[in-house]
Amino acid sequence: TQLLEQSPQFLSIQEGENLTVYCNSSSVFSSLQWYRQEPGEGPVLLVTVVTGGEVKKLKRLTFQFGDARKDSSLHITAAQPGDTGLYLCAGGRGSGGSNYKLTFGKGTLLTVNP
Amino acid sequence: GAGVSQSPRYKVAKRGQDVALRCDPISGHVSLFWYQQALGQGPEFLTYFQNEAQLDKSGLPSDRFFAERPEGSVSTLKIQRTQQEDSAVYLCASRAGRTEAFFGQGTRLTVV
């Protein structure tokens, strides 16, 4: 059972466009992580957000954690073909070492066309 | 290498066959996790080790699945009497303390 709903499931855009993908849940998480996964590879962590309302920026990527810690968004500015991949959000419960059982969403498959 | 290494990368098993999937975590990483990722899905938690102790195996789908990490380093996920629904990518991740977990490339298991 997936407790995290990601939307859209698929997104195909042209290079230079902006996009936002969403991760929503009815449950509260102590932290939320965003990963990018390329074909044939394991997920690679992009960011962890832990505080309600928190905004983190990583170059052209902006991540936001909802005030109630139930939802998150990832915004990409001026997308590039290298951004192509499966974007996964994962929620953790507990703190520190107990925060290991991540619940993943199904992911958003992003394709950026040159 | 410096990353998490999994072998084999690909495994084709006949239904009913037993398989063993290996994970070499990053040296010194205390925590090790196994996840199962079905086609078109996100990874789902299977089990968690802290050193050699298996602290959580609540995600293992049936008693045909067994994981071990006898010396607190290399881990093996064993699936007995494989079924078609076991076809998936099996991901291993390791972590030092409370830091980021690093995933391996996964083993793609196809049961025919």
Side-chain angles (χ1 to χ4, degrees), chain A residues 1-2 9 35 37 40-43 45 86 88 96-97 99-102 104-106, chain B residues 9 33 35 37 40-45 48 56 58 91 95 98 100-101 103-105:
Chain A
T1 303
Q2 297 284 358
Q9 191 173 353
Y35 292 80
Q37 185 177 23
E41 302 292 328
L45 181 66
L86 179 68
L88 294 159
N99 192 16
Y100 59 84
K101 191 184 295 187
L102 294 175
F104 282 85
K106 288 187 179 183
Chain B
R9 288 293 313 277
F33 315 83
Y35 285 83
Q37 186 173 22
Q41 304 289 321
E44 294 206 10
F45 172 82
Y48 163 61
D56 188 338
S58 63
L91 294 164
R95 186 177 75 178
R98 301 178 177 185
E100 171 188 355
F103 282 83
Q105 293 178 303

Side-chain angles (χ1 to χ4, degrees), chain B residues 18-80:
Chain B
D18 297 350
V19 299
L21 312 180
R22 177 186 170 106
C23 173
D24 282 85
I26 293 172
S27 179
H29 278 196
V30 169
S31 301
L32 185 145
F33 315 83
W34 283 98
Y35 285 83
Q36 179 191 58
Q37 186 173 22
L39 189 64
Q41 304 289 321
E44 294 206 10
F45 172 82
L46 293 178
T47 187
Y48 163 61
F49 289 86
Q50 187 169 319
N51 295 306
E52 69 279 2
Q54 188 175 20
L55 299 186
D56 188 338
K57 55 181 181 179
S58 63
L60 296 177
S62 77
D63 58 8
R64 296 186 295 103
F65 286 71
F66 173 75
E68 60 182 5
R69 193 185 185 198
E71 297 180 357
S73 178
V74 171
S75 177
T76 304
L77 176 66
K78 298 180 180 178
I79 309 173
Q80 297 177 322

